[in-house]
Amino acid sequence: MSTEQYIAITHLCQQYNVTEKLFSKFQETGLISVIEVEAKPCLHVEEVYKVEKIIRLNQELKVNPEGIDIILNLLEEIDQLHQKVQHLHQRLHLYSE
């Protein structure tokens, strides 16, 4: 397993000025997947964007982890519906020509 694909929780805590306890809450709620790499808790680099969104919702809007889970699920559903509308719009455009 390449360590280049993972980033240490301690590094993220320093970068976003949060505690490791907050990441533990996010993990307990199922918002993030923490993995041990070289005996350090880490996240896959692809999850960093999601973590930024989670931290902003928590700090700026004071949303608790359970609320964040609901918001992220709704945003994902909106994105899927948007993609479906775009696909249907393209199909409609093909038939209208």
Side-chain angles (χ1 to χ4, degrees):
M1 178 177 351
S2 173
T3 58
E4 296 171 3
Q5 297 176 347
Y6 298 92
I7 187 162
I9 297 289
T10 54
H11 176 75
L12 292 171
C13 288
Q14 291 172 350
Q15 185 175 347
Y16 297 112
N17 197 28
V18 296
T19 64
E20 289 187 41
K21 186 176 179 180
L22 185 62
F23 277 90
S24 294
K25 284 183 185 178
F26 294 156
Q27 182 182 14
E28 289 169 7
T29 312
L31 295 172
I32 59 173
S33 301
V34 176
I35 186 168
E36 293 283 325
V37 177
E38 296 178 359
K40 295 180 189 175
C42 298
L43 286 177
H44 196 276
V45 292
E46 291 178 0
E47 283 198 83
V48 172
Y49 176 73
K50 183 179 178 182
V51 167
E52 289 175 352
K53 194 181 295 187
I54 290 169
I55 290 172
R56 277 197 323 267
L57 287 168
N58 180 258
Q59 290 182 339
E60 295 174 14
L61 299 178
K62 308 296 184 213
V63 179
N64 64 13
E66 293 80 10
I68 293 171
D69 187 36
I70 292 168
I71 290 169
L72 292 178
N73 287 334
L74 288 172
L75 288 172
E76 185 178 327
E77 189 172 328
I78 289 169
D79 187 45
Q80 290 172 355
L81 289 171
H82 180 69
Q83 290 175 5
K84 190 173 187 176
V85 167
Q86 283 183 325
H87 175 73
L88 291 172
H89 181 68
Q90 290 172 350
R91 285 184 58 194
L92 181 63
H93 183 68
L94 286 173
Y95 290 120
S96 66
E97 291 181 343

